[in-house]
């Protein structure tokens, strides 16, 4: 596919969010309407071109190549709870009907461990299985303290930033440790597994360069895999569902229910049923693409970003 062809197929949208998530209240991303379907390029604005190019590769794969054959037609989904006050937890969880697992954001800048404990306890009162995601926000000692304070958890996701700290943390606590950033931001995504630093691998389609790249990594590790989103629109979520559907083994609920965090998405998405989402293609609604289109200067910013990333893709 040529750069001109990609740009001719580009739509840039700005999706307002219900709550601030990862410091974002409006999610900008570019969508590519290709011959095989739709692809999503949503690398966060602070990512430089070498990292963002993986996200573009994932978008192009979805737009220009057929997905792998599925082995399941629905995927268990976890509820996602941003770093909101504990009293807002029921409101958030109401958007995840039937979910039996919840992922709770913790270690938010400006908040305390007491805030995290209150939020987790509010979730635990409504959903039986709870996992937390610190996005590498704790030191090793803070992670040990948090594991003690937060009680029984399915796992701690990326509690510390470094692989060495993750490995040491596993020796100090009984709670399983999951790696996210240590896989998707690493030059060698398998290093964290070889170091014995994770019990579970959290894999995301876009940062890893596409469904096929994700499945290749999953095939080379001997720990369970959880597929998660990167605050994706319905198009990106569909890619995550297709990846999860192609895994030979899927033991844990996936973090692919984040579409409910948007005030409005680019397509009418299927509702969760009994904690599951169906695996099916998504076609954006033309009216929504127009209504949610980013401002002209932001569209141009994304065009230039596509140009910069496209130069870095293998030929």
């Amino acid at each position: 596919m040529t750069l001109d062809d990609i740009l001719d197929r580009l739509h840039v949208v700005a999706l307002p969010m219900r709550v601030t998530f990862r410091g974002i209240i409006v999610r900008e991303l570019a969508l590519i309407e290709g011959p095989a379907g739709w692809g999503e390029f949503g690398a966060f604005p602070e990512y430089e071109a070498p990292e963002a190019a993986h996200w573009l590769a994932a978008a192009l794969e979805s737009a220009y190549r057929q997905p792998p054959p599925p082995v399941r037609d629905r995927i268990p989904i976890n509820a996602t709870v941003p770093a909101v006050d504990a009293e807002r937890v029921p409101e958030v969880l109401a958007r995840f009907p039937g979910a039996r697992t919840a992922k709770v954001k913790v270690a938010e800048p400006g908040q305390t461990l007491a805030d995290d404990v209150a939020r987790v306890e509010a979730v635990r009162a409504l959903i039986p299985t709870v996992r937390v995601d610190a996005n590498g926000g704790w030191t090793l000692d803070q992670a040990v303290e948090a594991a003690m304070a937060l009680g029984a958890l399915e796992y701690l996701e990326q509690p510390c930033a470094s692989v060495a700290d993750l490995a040491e943390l596993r020796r100090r606590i009984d709670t399983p440790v999951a790696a996210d950033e240590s896989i998707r931001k690493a030059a060698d995504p398998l290093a964290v597994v070889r170091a014995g630093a994770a019990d579970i691998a959290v894999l995301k389609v876009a940062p890893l360069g596409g469904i096929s790249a994700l499945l290749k990594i999953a095939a080379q590790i001997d720990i369970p895999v959880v597929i998660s989103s990167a605050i994706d629109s319905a198009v990106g979520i569909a890619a995550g569902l297709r990846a999860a559907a192609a895994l030979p083994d899927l033991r844990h609920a996936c973090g692919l229910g984040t579409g409910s965090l948007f005030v409005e998405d680019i397509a009418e998405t299927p509702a969760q049923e009994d904690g599951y989402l169906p695996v099916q293609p998504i076609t954006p609604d033309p009216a929504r693409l127009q209504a949610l289109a980013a401002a002209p200067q932001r569209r141009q910013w994304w065009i230039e970003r596509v140009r910069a990333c496209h130069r870095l893709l293998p030929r």
Side-chain angles (χ1 to χ4, degrees):
M1 74 279 318
T2 67
L3 177 59
D4 286 344
D5 184 59
I6 295 166
L7 295 178
D8 284 344
R9 300 171 180 271
L10 198 71
H11 302 259
V12 180
V13 295
L15 308 180
M17 303 190 69
R18 298 180 190 276
V19 295
T20 301
F21 193 86
R22 201 187 170 277
I24 296 170
I25 195 61
V26 176
R27 178 72 165 115
E28 280 189 358
L29 45 86
L31 302 172
I32 300 167
E33 182 181 6
W38 287 76
E40 177 173 321
F41 175 45
F44 297 112
E46 67 270 22
Y47 289 3
E48 298 294 336
E51 183 173 1
H54 295 288
W55 298 60
L56 180 59
L60 296 179
E61 180 186 60
S62 291
Y64 288 87
R65 291 175 55 187
Q66 292 298 323
V71 297
R72 58 187 63 82
D73 61 7
R74 65 176 195 156
I75 306 299
I77 301 300
N78 68 252
T80 300
V81 181
V84 296
D85 293 338
E87 57 265 27
R88 294 194 63 188
V89 163
E91 165 201 337
V92 173
L93 291 181
R95 296 195 285 271
F96 298 90
R100 299 173 181 83
T101 301
K103 180 169 85 169
V104 183
K105 287 291 184 178
V106 293
E108 184 82 357
Q111 296 187 359
T112 66
L113 179 55
D115 296 322
D116 294 338
V117 170
R119 187 180 312 112
V120 167
E121 288 300 327
V123 172
R124 194 177 277 128
L126 298 170
I127 288 187
T129 302
V130 180
R131 58 182 69 153
V132 301
D133 182 6
N135 290 116
W138 288 324
T139 65
L140 176 58
D141 289 341
Q142 287 172 334
V144 172
E145 180 186 6
M148 297 288 290
L150 292 170
L153 296 169
E154 183 184 22
Y155 59 74
L156 292 168
E157 181 175 331
Q158 200 67 45
C160 306
S162 77
V163 170
D165 281 351
L166 293 181
E168 178 61 25
L169 181 64
R170 287 188 70 219
R171 290 188 280 269
R172 293 197 194 180
I173 66 173
D174 294 327
T175 305
V177 172
D180 174 10
E181 285 88 348
S182 289
I183 295 174
R184 64 181 170 88
K185 285 181 167 287
D188 178 1
L190 302 177
V192 67
V193 178
R194 286 198 296 270
D199 300 282
I200 294 159
V202 178
L203 305 183
K204 299 178 178 179
V205 170
L208 293 175
I211 295 173
S212 58
L214 182 153
L215 294 176
K216 182 178 179 180
I217 291 170
Q220 296 178 71
I221 60 179
D222 58 359
I223 59 176
V225 167
V226 172
I227 306 299
S228 193
S229 85
I231 322 183
D232 300 327
S233 79
V235 168
I237 293 293
L241 290 168
R242 289 195 293 268
L247 285 171
D249 185 33
L250 186 64
R251 305 181 202 174
H252 298 274
C254 291
L256 297 170
T258 52
S260 65
L261 299 174
F262 295 120
V263 175
E264 188 172 7
D265 208 334
I266 45 81
E268 190 68 38
T269 54
Q272 290 186 41
E273 184 174 342
D274 197 29
Y276 287 78
L277 278 175
V279 180
Q280 61 186 52
I282 290 292
T283 300
D285 178 347
R288 294 190 187 203
L289 287 176
Q290 183 175 1
L292 295 167
Q297 65 271 26
R298 296 304 303 164
R299 173 179 169 79
Q300 188 58 41
W301 185 89
W302 279 93
I303 287 173
E304 295 307 317
R305 195 178 201 202
V306 169
R307 292 183 189 277
C309 292
H310 188 265
R311 287 194 291 268
L312 302 178
L313 297 179
R315 293 294 184 259

